[in-house]
Amino acid sequence: MDAYTNSRRVFCTIVPPHVLDKLSHHDDPLVAGPARRTLERDALERTRRRITTVRGVTATLEGAPSSKPRRTIYDAEHETRLPGKKMREEGGTASGDESVNRAYNGLGATFELFLNAYGRRSIDDSGLPLNASVHYSEDYNNAFWDGEQMVFGDGDGEVFLDFTIPVDVMAHELTHGVTQYTANLEYFGQSGALNESMSDVFGSLVKQHVLGQTAGEADWLIGKGLLAERVTGVALRSMKAPGTAYDDDVLGKDPQPGTMDDFVHTSRDNGGVHINSGIPNHAFYLAATALGGNAWERAGQIWYDVLTGGDLASDAQFTDFAQLTVAAAQSRYGEGEEHTAVLEAWAGVGITDLGARGER
Amino acid sequence: MRISVIRTGGFAGIERRAELDTSERPDATHLAALAHQAVEKGAAAAGRGVPDGFHYEITIDGRTVHVADPHLSDAQRELVRTVLKEGA
Ligand SMILES: [Zn+2]
């Protein structure tokens, strides 16, 4: 079987659609909600893939969402078939494989921030199991979210090291899952850059939460510890100073802009989603550092409110998002310093004129 | 046969490109077979792919197809790996 047919495993296929349809009309929202979402997702996904394998049990239908994560870490054994060999389950003893343990801990740290800071129970807020595969492919210089699980490569050792080293990278991937289940920002152009930025913002917040750092103490770097020794650079992105994370013979120079004046128009990378994310990233940094204290508290809460509030369109542009953060700051904290900090943060990246429209 | 690969996207968003000419290689027949299979299953236009997934633009003698992780066939994966690793 080739990688294509084998790599798709969908938590919804275990339950036949007619059963899901029945469950989606169930009186208990804990049952109906996940079933409905599964049906919606299933319909969406069916058009773009062949489903050949059925594995596991659908955990979203198993009752009340838990305040404990349900993690399973797999070893792809340098192949590209997912998820691979099961290595560590929730509550299981540590593996002899440090990549497995780092992934287990990274997923736990991310689950914890979303739960402790925002009361969110896993990716879907209904206790969705967290699955990750490590050792994907050979010398693989990447990590991604495939729509259902996290996937981490080992790096080639020349440019990149193991993608399970930085906790913010693991949290970045998990946050793609949160975004998928909430605003579902289209992964293209400005909405795609916002999607990327959400992952960097909460990725950085998870790291700050783990380290117990305030906004002023944090380094605001994404992917610190990921670059091999010979690479000239400190990380892959800097939310504090976009465009300064690396400048290297092989990697080139960090291309991120920090303001709208330097917005990059390109067709590559889905319209520069990993490039222009520097702009909303920097806006978050400005808001969080202006407010001070723990960035996940007020600044993070405002961003989380917008991501999950239901008003953020899947094709939202930077200005739409900015406007909603101004409104969210007002509705949660009134006309105080939070409102001012958010307005000034966006002005700092060249997105102005939000006040009047933000008030509706 | 000239085979070029442009890899875009990925967590780092760093582009990589490489090209090789099969005529000077001992594995020319094998690469030509891979190329044939790779093009057969590729898409004419780029899709959006999965968050942080790599996109690959494979061009073989002027014909371009698009594929994206994790949905690469074994032939596509081997071809892409070979070109990015050994191509210039
Ligand atoms: Zn991402």
Side-chain angles (χ1 to χ4, degrees):
Chain A
M1 226 187 258
D2 68 21
Y4 178 70
T5 51
N6 230 337
S7 66
R8 310 313 304 174
R9 134 216 60 71
V10 193
F11 69 86
C12 43
T13 54
I14 192 82
V15 183
H18 67 276
V19 176
L20 283 171
D21 193 50
K22 207 170 169 196
L23 288 172
S24 72
H25 296 106
H26 197 279
D27 288 336
D28 183 351
L30 291 178
V31 175
R36 196 191 63 244
R37 283 193 293 276
T38 298
L39 277 172
E40 289 163 359
R41 266 166 54 79
D42 204 8
L44 184 77
E45 306 266 349
R46 203 177 296 125
T47 54
R48 63 176 169 92
R49 64 181 175 214
R50 285 151 59 206
I51 297 161
T52 55
T53 48
V54 172
R55 219 179 276 150
V57 173
T58 170
T60 53
L61 301 176
E62 276 173 0
S66 166
S67 57
K68 295 257 184 265
R70 280 188 276 179
R71 293 164 285 184
T72 310
I73 313 298
Y74 299 86
D75 180 356
E77 300 180 288
H78 306 291
E79 302 277 343
T80 53
R81 288 173 247 285
L82 292 171
K85 187 173 138 197
K86 192 187 284 182
M87 295 294 285
R88 188 170 176 188
E89 283 183 288
E90 191 61 46
T93 53
S95 163
D97 183 330
E98 278 316 304
S99 300
V100 169
N101 296 331
R102 280 194 298 262
Y104 185 86
N105 294 334
L107 267 49
T110 309
F111 182 95
E112 216 165 277
L113 174 78
F114 277 108
L115 180 70
N116 293 353
Y118 314 119
R120 185 176 193 84
R121 291 165 198 274
S122 192
I123 284 174
D124 62 346
D125 200 17
S126 296
L128 189 77
L130 303 174
N131 298 323
S133 299
V134 300
H135 305 311
Y136 180 79
S137 196
E138 283 173 55
D139 297 330
Y140 192 71
N141 280 335
N142 203 21
F144 62 91
W145 163 257
D146 81 344
E148 287 125 35
Q149 68 157 93
M150 288 144 276
V151 182
F152 301 102
D154 291 337
D156 59 4
E158 307 257 319
V159 180
F160 290 108
L161 305 177
D162 192 323
F163 277 71
T164 60
I165 291 172
V167 70
D168 46 295
V169 171
M170 293 184 278
H172 174 110
E173 296 310 330
L174 200 155
T175 305
H176 276 309
V178 174
T179 298
Q180 177 182 314
Y181 276 84
T182 54
N184 199 20
L185 291 158
E186 285 175 26
Y187 205 61
F188 186 82
Q190 287 197 15
S191 57
L194 285 168
N195 188 323
E196 268 306 305
S197 183
M198 293 299 114
S199 280
D200 279 352
V201 163
F202 291 101
S204 181
L205 291 180
V206 167
K207 179 174 156 183
Q208 294 173 34
H209 190 243
V210 165
L211 297 174
Q213 290 176 331
T214 63
E217 291 162 351
D219 62 18
W220 296 96
L221 294 169
I222 301 296
K224 190 178 178 219
L226 189 59
L227 297 175
E229 209 172 319
R230 56 159 295 280
V231 177
T232 312
V234 286
L236 281 175
R237 294 185 274 278
S238 168
M239 300 175 69
K240 181 177 183 172
T244 67
Y246 59 87
D247 190 352
D248 181 73
D249 293 346
V250 175
L251 285 187
K253 187 184 175 301
D254 177 359
Q256 282 212 312
T259 71
M260 289 304 282
D261 285 346
D262 299 321
F263 186 94
V264 177
H265 295 273
T266 173
S267 61
R268 302 260 188 242
D269 186 27
N270 287 10
V273 296
H274 293 89
I275 298 175
N276 292 314
S277 55
I279 296 167
N281 275 1
H282 192 55
F284 182 81
Y285 161 82
L286 290 174
T289 48
L291 290 170
N294 294 326
W296 60 85
E297 286 172 5
R298 289 181 292 167
Q301 182 70 60
I302 292 164
W303 256 242
Y304 181 81
D305 285 348
V306 174
L307 177 64
T308 60
D311 292 327
L312 183 62
S314 61
D315 61 350
Q317 304 295 291
F318 289 177
T319 310
D320 302 322
F321 182 84
Q323 207 119 51
L324 288 169
T325 60
V326 174
Q330 278 174 314
S331 67
R332 193 174 273 274
Y333 302 107
E335 297 289 333
E337 57 172 344
E338 295 83 2
H339 177 231
T340 309
V342 169
L343 272 177
E344 286 178 357
W346 289 110
V349 300
I351 295 174
T352 52
D353 213 14
L354 296 170
R357 285 182 291 170
E359 284 171 36
R360 303 194 170 171
Chain B
M1 180 183 269
R2 300 187 77 80
I3 308 170
S4 74
V5 173
I6 303 174
R7 192 192 74 195
T8 58
F11 183 88
I14 294 167
E15 189 172 311
R16 280 209 57 200
R17 48 175 78 211
E19 185 174 273
L20 60 75
D21 193 337
T22 59
S23 62
E24 292 143 27
R25 296 176 58 100
D27 57 350
T29 318
H30 176 60
L31 284 177
L34 284 182
H36 181 73
Q37 292 173 56
V39 169
E40 214 170 45
K41 284 190 180 174
R48 294 200 179 167
V50 302
D52 298 326
F54 281 138
H55 292 244
Y56 307 90
E57 197 178 305
I58 308 172
T59 303
I60 293 154
D61 285 342
R63 182 178 169 195
T64 299
V65 295
H66 299 263
V67 293
D69 272 338
H71 310 299
L72 266 64
S73 69
D74 290 346
Q76 287 165 345
R77 197 168 294 281
E78 187 183 342
L79 186 71
V80 155
R81 283 176 59 85
T82 307
V83 175
L84 288 178
K85 201 170 174 185
E86 295 165 35

